[in-house]
Amino acid sequence: MPKSSTSSRLAVRKTYKLYVAGKFPRSESGRTYLVDGDNVALASRKDARDAVVAARAAQPKWAGATAYNRGQVLYRIAEMLEARRGEFKALGVAGSEVDAAVDRWVWYAGWSDKIAQIAGGANPVAGPFFNISAPEPTGVVGVIAPETLLGLVSVIAPAVVTGNTVVVVASNPQAAITLAEVLATSDVPGGVVNVLTGRAAEIAPWLASHDDVNALDLSGVGDSELATELERAAAGTLKRVVRPVSGVDYSEDPGTGAMTALLEIKTVWHPKGF
């Protein structure tokens, strides 16, 4: 029998594709670019529009799920991320950062059924009425993500735990798409998280001006001029814009601000019974 030769085998090279509607399509433009020798899909404005359509379609059902159920899904993400720890380390992510990212998912999972208690409540009014303020998700959020894995998790988790869906523009494509592979096996409904890889300066303006995007998170925009341009574009459709101060340390306690920034407060009046 002929001897097998492992030295002549060609390894299967991975192409890091987009993550839209729970699937991993290539860019509709067919474009790719190289990152550390890996082929990565270069998203276009059409891909951004497709991702918004997927996020909008998924949002009502995700927001309608119980807070307890959303917390379970986030905890499942933490489990799967823990199981694939070695893959992220192979991409150059420090083990301590992977651990922190796992813990961050668990932390936000615990807030899923508690955030309404601190963001809403019964208001005192003069009259025979109940006046109740209840938080609701903003809707579809465009996210320009930070480069680190922990930063990426720290902007996705607070948005989705409260019932929003997201379209993420990732600046670290290998880690972002590997995280998308974790999401795809973690009971996250398709369309809740969509990940686009490419140039933020090319994709973000289309998200900022899109009529069906309700909020914009600029956490990963380091160029102040680009951030200002995106804010102006978002003003045309009255989007809520989150623009953190530069130099955010994602290893610190995140607090509840990232969650409440993407919530709307609905106030309901109801007569008291006699």
Side-chain angles (χ1 to χ4, degrees):
M1 297 179 64
K3 296 181 179 180
S4 61
S5 175
T6 57
S7 60
S8 62
R9 181 183 179 276
L10 295 177
V12 177
R13 294 188 61 187
K14 181 175 182 177
T15 296
Y16 290 86
K17 305 179 183 70
L18 311 177
Y19 182 58
V20 178
K23 302 176 182 178
F24 292 90
R26 299 177 186 272
S27 172
E28 60 83 29
S29 66
R31 300 180 303 170
T32 61
Y33 65 114
L34 286 176
V35 178
D36 298 329
D38 292 323
N39 285 320
V40 178
L42 184 60
S44 67
R45 61 186 182 183
K46 174 64 165 56
D47 296 316
R49 291 197 297 267
D50 290 344
V52 172
V53 170
R56 177 56 64 193
Q59 200 275 326
K61 187 174 182 179
W62 179 243
T66 64
Y68 176 73
N69 179 245
R70 288 197 299 270
Q72 287 182 310
V73 172
L74 264 66
Y75 192 86
R76 177 62 175 166
I77 296 171
E79 291 178 333
M80 297 304 296
L81 180 55
E82 183 83 60
R84 300 182 68 161
R85 187 174 185 272
E87 290 185 45
F88 288 94
K89 291 184 67 176
L91 292 172
V93 182
S96 58
E97 184 179 352
V98 180
D99 294 341
V102 172
D103 295 344
R104 187 59 47 87
W105 281 115
V106 174
W107 193 85
Y108 277 113
W111 272 106
S112 63
D113 57 356
K114 302 173 184 67
I115 188 63
Q117 299 172 47
I118 67 166
N123 306 311
V125 293
F129 303 98
F130 291 112
N131 182 270
I132 302 170
S133 293
E136 293 189 339
T138 298
V140 175
V141 182
V143 178
I144 317 304
E147 186 173 355
T148 64
L149 173 64
L150 181 57
L152 178 65
V153 170
S154 296
V155 293
I156 295 177
V160 299
V161 71
T162 54
N164 297 294
T165 55
V166 296
V167 177
V168 181
V169 180
S171 58
N172 184 348
Q174 294 105 320
I177 297 303
T178 304
L179 178 63
E181 293 169 357
V182 170
L183 299 175
T185 55
S186 301
D187 301 326
V188 179
V192 171
V193 179
N194 305 273
V195 182
L196 304 176
T197 54
R199 295 184 286 264
E202 178 184 355
I203 306 170
W206 296 100
L207 294 177
S209 60
H210 199 297
D211 289 348
D212 213 18
V213 175
N214 304 111
L216 195 63
D217 185 340
L218 304 180
S219 295
V221 180
D223 185 340
S224 60
E225 290 186 6
L226 175 59
T228 300
E229 290 176 6
L230 294 175
E231 284 184 312
R232 290 197 185 106
T237 50
L238 303 179
K239 286 181 179 58
R240 177 171 295 193
V241 178
V242 178
R243 186 177 177 180
V245 295
S246 59
V248 177
D249 185 356
Y250 290 105
S251 64
E252 295 182 351
D253 186 332
T256 59
M259 290 182 284
T260 57
L262 298 172
L263 287 173
E264 304 287 346
I265 303 299
K266 179 178 71 175
T267 300
V268 179
W269 292 76
H270 193 281
K272 292 180 179 179
F274 294 99

